[in-house]
Amino acid sequence: MITSAKHHFVVLRLAAMLLPALGWLAPAQAVTADLRWVEVDVALSPAGEAMVQYKVRWKVRSGTMGGFYFQGEGAGIKWHRPGCGAVVDGKKRYELTLKDLGNRWDVLLANGQRYGPGEITYVLTYFADYARMGHVATTTSPEHGKLVVFNWAPVQWDEPLEHETVSVRWPVKVDTTELTFQQAAQLGFRTEKFVNERYKLSYFGQRGTDASGAEEPKDGPRYLVVRAHKDRIATKEKFQLTYYVPIGLFPDAKLHERPTRRAPRRATGTTRHRQSQPRAQVGPPTGLVYVFMGGLALVVLAIAVLKHRAMIRAADRIDEVRWDRDDWLVPKIELKNFRRNGKVAKLNAVEAGYLCDVPLKTLVGMMVVEMDRRGVIELRSTEPLTMHQVGFMPRDLTNYHGVLLAGIQNDGTLAPGTAAQLVRAISEGIQEKAWDCDIEATRDHYTKQFAKEFRRARAAADAFWYGEQPVEANEIDRTQTYYPYYYMYSQPAGERQPGRVDQVAGIMPDPDALADHSYSYFLSGGVEVNAQYAASACHSACHSACHNACHSACHSACHSACHSACHGACVSGGAH
């Protein structure tokens, strides 16, 4: 009996230790999902920058899927979040949460949502500087002189695909919707031999300059799109592309020089995805270079293996091309001139106010009072400003409301650096949406909208700010609440203004003297704002330099060997 009791005690102890672990493992075991296909669009600007969009189709066989991991883009990622999301059957849409895990991104359906079983397509859109990383570089051809080479591959995946398709949009104007390979060659387009042997190539002329499966614009010039397609992609297979074009297509780019090589010959391939004919390969390197590359590849491979093992240890510690999404919001990569006269940026209410010279402190006052009225926070005192979060964050709150909530300290006061964080966040938000737009036209447009909404919705705005009517917590129309007040702010004294907003605005903690300023101060080069950006830029630059030091050093010696070895250790996938 003693032995039996002791045995039961040990079993219970083991169960107590194992149950938490099993509970931690349960989410990973709750989904069985297969990758079906991946389609990638790359739009190159004359400066060698790229707008990239991935469409990733998953089939959830059992359980529910929240997301997957995305890694392997060496050029750095600046997400275009309006162009990121997920879609089911072209109808149901999901927003995404993109979490930076250091060596990879966790791509998740927003707000903890999950989907399954069934098929779901994730769409990721981002900007990357491919000229800076050497993916867009110059080379010298004895036959053709200076050329630009695009040497790049999308990320690799941890399971096989039914197909993968990569479309590259070039700053080359064309006059027709489809081209033959002879027509592409006449434009100066060339390929490497292996590209023609591995993939089915098609040549198109499409309107628009963005990387998107969106509906093609009805007007405007057409640009050359080269599409490479392959069925049955193996696990971790690298979809390497090497294209050549005349150097004049990239007049604004600061490009690296690649070693001189014998020129590639004419582009070959046929439209409509019929198998292209191979052409003579670019001249082979000397035996000495082969030896050097082989040795370098072995060294880099060893580094990659060590890196891969380190990642594993860290983890232990803790047939037809389909364009599913046809309305993703993406900015245009303009040719020659990024800013288009008269183009108006699509801004949210906070960004519109900041652009039109509503000071930061007033915006903070409005966001705080809004969240108080909607039950997100409880505003307990205005001397000093004290608040506590008491409810969930509604879906329609902006990320700037999120910055404010994150700035609330344990004692209810706002952290001293909150103002600087808001300046950085709102300014970056405006820049991302207005980078190719006319700032003055945008400011004029919203100023007129403020006046229009003041005449139309002033009574509703007053009722909201003064608490004269109940508020639906789920959603509000900020054009009818924020816009009328923006108009009142721009008028001479005497107009009725929401007093509590002014109270909050007047006591906002502001050690960096940013609260009285708006976006104009940022554009004019205000010292305090620049100091904040300088610190951020310095940190980012140093972090990026350190993070990519190995990649950059190897790239300078031999881009292909380094990328092939290191990239194989960092693959995307892992449905969870």
Side-chain angles (χ1 to χ4, degrees), residues 485-527:
Y485 180 61
Y486 291 160
Y487 177 82
M488 288 189 288
Y489 180 85
S490 66
Q491 301 306 304
E495 291 283 358
R496 183 183 181 190
Q497 296 180 351
R500 205 170 193 191
V501 169
D502 295 336
Q503 289 179 355
V504 175
I507 56 176
M508 174 187 174
D510 183 32
D512 300 305
L514 300 173
D516 290 321
H517 300 293
S518 63
Y519 192 64
S520 296
Y521 184 67
F522 164 73
L523 291 180
S524 67
V527 175

Side-chain angles (χ1 to χ4, degrees), residues 45-49 129 131 136 138 148 247 249-256:
S45 79
E49 298 171 339
D129 192 342
V136 179
T138 61
V148 168
I247 194 170
L249 298 179
F250 294 87
D252 305 325
K254 297 179 180 178
L255 303 178
H256 300 288

Side-chain angles (χ1 to χ4, degrees), residues 324-339:
D324 283 77
R325 187 72 183 256
D326 59 5
D327 62 348
W328 295 103
L329 301 176
V330 290
K332 308 297 182 182
I333 295 183
E334 291 302 313
L335 302 179
K336 304 299 183 185
N337 182 8
F338 286 110
R339 296 200 179 275

Side-chain angles (χ1 to χ4, degrees), residues 24-34 58 60 62-70 97-99 101 104-109 112-116 120 122 158-159 572-576:
W24 179 80
L25 285 173
Q29 299 172 342
V31 57
T32 301
D34 296 329
W58 288 89
V60 183
S62 64
T64 59
M65 177 177 175
F68 63 96
Y69 299 108
F70 184 84
T97 296
L98 304 169
K99 292 185 178 181
L101 303 181
R104 58 183 176 174
W105 291 87
D106 198 357
V107 180
L108 298 166
L109 300 181
Q113 298 178 90
R114 301 183 68 84
Y115 170 78
I120 182 170
Y122 288 76
D158 64 0
E159 59 182 286
S572 299
H576 56 279

